[in-house]
Amino acid sequence: MSPPIAGLYINLDRCPERAAFMEAQLARLGLAGVLRHAAIDAANLPPAPAGCPLLPGERACFLSHLQALESAPADRFTLVLEDDMELSDQLPELVAKAIAGPLDGVDIAFLECQPHYSHAHLSALWDVACRLFPPGSARRAQGVELVPAQQFYKWGTAAYVVSPAGRGKLLALMHEWLQAGPQLPLDRCVEQAVAARQLQAVITVPFLATTALQWHGRSTIANGWRTPPDFLMVMRRLLYAGSLHEVQPMAQALADAQVDPALQMFGLVLREVAGVNRQAQAQGGKSA
């Protein structure tokens, strides 16, 4: 019997070091069925159609995801990864559990993304993560929750699972977007589709993948202004089912930065509030 999930990772021919990085992770996690999909190189694209404002790299990324999804089997869940993703040790286990039931009726499940980063959004996601990461644990989650992407998703299509129905919906939408230009990068098109409920979408908490720090700021799309600032990279790592070790120097640099004293005090207050709320949750009580 075929496994319930197929998989592809998107990789440029001129980036063999990224392919080696992905292959090593997939072998370690027993995901040998996740295959390389050769990305379209922006250098080989014809000129953009009239009215398309995207950079060549953004167009190439869009078309690479389109081709990857077109090549995926129509009757199985499909895992799609970009080649700079660090994969959680728990990805196979928790994705399999989600496919076994909780993803019924879901078109796309983002395994990581840039969520909206208002205080309310981050606090809500932190509360979910705290329920799933036991205090003092080795960052091994006790399970996964599926939060509504319509509420939290801002951008990012570097790691996601599409259901068979969702694959068909997403492909149809992508062809519509392509005919119109496209006018926006893929993840911003997806953001609009999620907001309009054209796609039923969730985000896994904890994240089951995240940008590997060795590739941070080294996008092959040449859209460096969209590189997340360091504080967002730290935040995303805090939501990830994996070690915090590599991100600690980045977090320390944030702590050492000179800031308004009042803002620094506010951060300390938020730290204490988060600690009180986590303790209350552990005791089964109400948070502040």
Side-chain angles (χ1 to χ4, degrees), residues 25-249:
Q25 292 190 94
L26 295 169
R28 176 173 56 82
L29 297 178
L31 294 174
V34 177
L35 306 176
R36 178 181 179 271
H37 178 84
I40 294 174
D41 197 321
N44 299 326
L45 281 179
C52 174
L54 270 61
L55 294 171
E58 292 172 328
R59 288 175 54 221
C61 178
F62 187 109
L63 292 170
S64 295
H65 278 264
L66 176 62
Q67 284 191 352
L69 286 168
E70 286 177 334
S71 70
D75 59 346
R76 290 160 63 192
F77 284 85
T78 300
L79 169 65
V80 180
L81 301 167
E82 293 182 358
D83 61 6
D84 59 351
M85 286 289 98
E86 179 181 326
L87 308 181
S88 169
D89 288 346
Q90 293 185 266
L91 184 152
E93 166 200 355
L94 295 180
V95 167
K97 287 182 178 178
I99 288 173
L103 288 184
D104 184 37
V106 171
D107 296 320
I108 184 168
F110 300 101
L111 305 188
E112 76 95 48
C113 69
Q114 176 56 62
H116 292 290
Y117 47 87
S118 73
H119 182 259
H121 286 100
L122 294 188
S123 294
L125 292 173
W126 172 254
D127 285 346
V128 174
C130 285
R131 290 198 297 271
L132 297 170
F133 287 127
S137 75
R139 304 289 295 175
R140 185 168 180 82
Q142 295 178 326
V144 65
E145 289 193 23
L146 306 177
V147 301
Q150 188 180 44
Q151 179 180 353
F152 291 100
Y153 179 85
K154 186 173 179 66
W155 51 259
T157 50
Y160 58 91
V161 172
V162 290
S163 66
R167 172 185 172 275
K169 287 183 184 179
L170 183 54
L171 281 172
L173 287 168
M174 290 176 77
H175 282 290
E176 288 182 19
W177 300 331
L178 188 60
Q179 289 178 354
Q183 295 298 307
L184 293 169
L186 174 60
D187 55 349
R188 299 306 304 274
C189 290
V190 169
E191 175 195 15
Q192 293 187 351
V194 169
R197 297 188 184 277
Q198 293 174 297
L199 292 170
Q200 299 302 312
V202 296
I203 304 166
T204 64
V205 178
F207 291 169
L208 300 178
T210 194
T211 302
L213 292 182
Q214 66 261 47
W215 310 122
H216 176 49
R218 297 175 59 190
S219 171
T220 57
I221 299 178
N223 59 348
W225 67 88
R226 290 190 68 196
T227 299
D230 287 357
F231 80 93
L232 290 179
M233 293 297 291
V234 174
M235 180 273 294
R236 286 160 74 170
R237 185 63 61 132
L238 288 170
L239 297 174
Y240 169 64
S243 171
L244 296 177
H245 176 71
E246 289 187 1
V247 82
Q248 286 176 348

